[in-house]
Amino acid sequence: MTANRRPLIAGNWKMNGRGDDGLVLALQLAERMKAKKGATFDILVCPPFTLIYGVGQALDDSGVGLGAQDCHAIESGAYTGDVSAAMLADLGCAYVIVGHSERRAGHAEINSLVRAKAEAAHAAGLIAIICIGETEAERDAGKTLDVVKDQLSGSLPDGAGAANTVVAYEPVWAIGTGRTPTNDEVQEVHAFIRAELTARFGPSEAQGLRILYGGSMNPNNARELLALSDVDGGLIGGASLRCEDFWSIAQSCP
Ligand code: PGA
């Protein structure tokens, strides 16, 4: 983390939460945030589609942001079951996650589709949180940086920059497993991502663009991870479902 980038703590609720529990969690977070004077971090939650409207109402003007977990690449039309970025913006979302590894694996999403979704997000005025990360087999084969390079170049649209894009580095093998890379390994990948962004978008965009770490971040490891110089926040799954834990992670921002 450096002074010119404001940390971002993003909660990915995944396919969790029904009416009341989602709203209770949103209200608890809103209360914490309202009571916190002069927060030095940005915080947001990405509930499932079914809860976005209600959570948005509960968050009100608390300063906790609202995002979604996916969007379609087209603005509207005959796409049964899909939700467009424009619809999410209409609901009050400011962010949308695209290219999460669970969508890449479970819905066969490839880089070009992730890129199209990020473009749709930008067109709708949303900030795209673009996820990348290697599998365990790829890490074991020493291919981490190659995979990250390929996903970055294929998934980020040309119009990406500090104002409309966040990159989330999430090693697939660290998601939901309780395992994380070492701090040195995380910093190595984040610095590599920053260098790639610099080469493509120039130093000024690359210095401002936030790179989140995701994968088993929790209240015990957050402080060390968030202190790494190229880690600008976290994308948090499991621990974002408990207000106490999620808030504690946010409090760990340097
Ligand atoms: P986790 O999930 O924090 O439960 O590992 C992170 C993510 O998938 O974004």
Side-chain angles (χ1 to χ4, degrees):
M1 188 71 237
T2 66
N4 59 341
R5 294 186 295 270
R6 191 173 159 89
L8 173 63
I9 299 298
N12 174 9
W13 291 6
K14 308 194 179 185
M15 196 171 70
N16 293 295
R18 314 251 172 116
D20 284 352
D21 41 348
L23 296 189
V24 167
L25 179 52
L27 285 168
Q28 289 171 337
L29 281 171
E31 254 173 51
R32 301 269 180 136
M33 196 60 181
K34 279 183 185 162
K36 169 115 189 143
K37 302 273 178 273
T40 53
F41 53 83
D42 292 333
I43 186 166
L44 83 132
V45 293
C46 301
F49 289 133
T50 50
L51 291 182
I52 290 175
Y53 178 77
V55 165
Q57 301 283 303
L59 294 176
D60 193 21
D61 59 354
S62 62
V64 179
L66 185 63
Q69 300 171 20
D70 182 41
C71 66
H72 196 270
I74 307 281
E75 195 180 330
S76 63
Y79 300 97
T80 303
D82 282 311
V83 175
S84 75
M87 291 169 168
L88 298 173
D90 192 41
L91 273 179
C93 288
Y95 295 80
V96 61
I97 298 168
V98 294
H100 190 282
S101 64
E102 286 153 14
R103 297 213 54 94
R104 289 180 187 261
H107 297 264
E109 293 198 4
I110 56 173
N111 289 334
S112 56
L113 178 60
V114 175
R115 180 186 185 122
K117 289 183 175 200
E119 279 169 348
H122 293 163
L126 300 180
I127 296 172
I129 301 176
I130 304 176
C131 301
I132 57 173
E134 82 286 359
T135 62
E136 184 156 33
E138 288 164 343
R139 177 163 281 268
D140 290 346
K143 291 188 184 149
T144 297
L145 298 184
D146 291 340
V147 169
V148 162
K149 183 182 173 89
D150 185 58
Q151 289 183 338
L152 259 187
S153 71
S155 306
L156 265 66
D158 288 336
N164 64 11
T165 301
V166 172
V167 171
Y169 168 58
E170 300 203 304
V172 178
W173 52 274
I175 294 176
T177 59
R179 297 164 57 206
T180 55
T182 64
N183 294 336
D184 286 350
E185 287 168 341
V186 171
Q187 173 55 26
E188 181 196 15
V189 178
H190 279 237
F192 176 77
I193 292 170
R194 181 98 48 214
E196 290 293 306
L197 294 173
T198 304
R200 179 157 169 208
F201 300 105
S204 142
E205 292 299 332
Q207 280 305 313
L209 207 151
R210 290 180 288 190
I211 307 172
L212 312 185
Y213 170 78
S216 296
M217 189 182 273
N218 62 48
N220 296 324
N221 61 22
R223 191 167 297 278
E224 283 190 4
L225 287 164
L226 294 168
L228 298 170
S229 57
D230 284 294
V231 173
D232 309 313
L235 180 56
I236 296 119
S240 74
L241 295 172
R242 294 176 297 274
C243 179
E244 207 61 49
D245 288 354
F246 190 51
W247 189 250
S248 158
I249 292 171
Q251 297 299 303
S252 306
C253 288

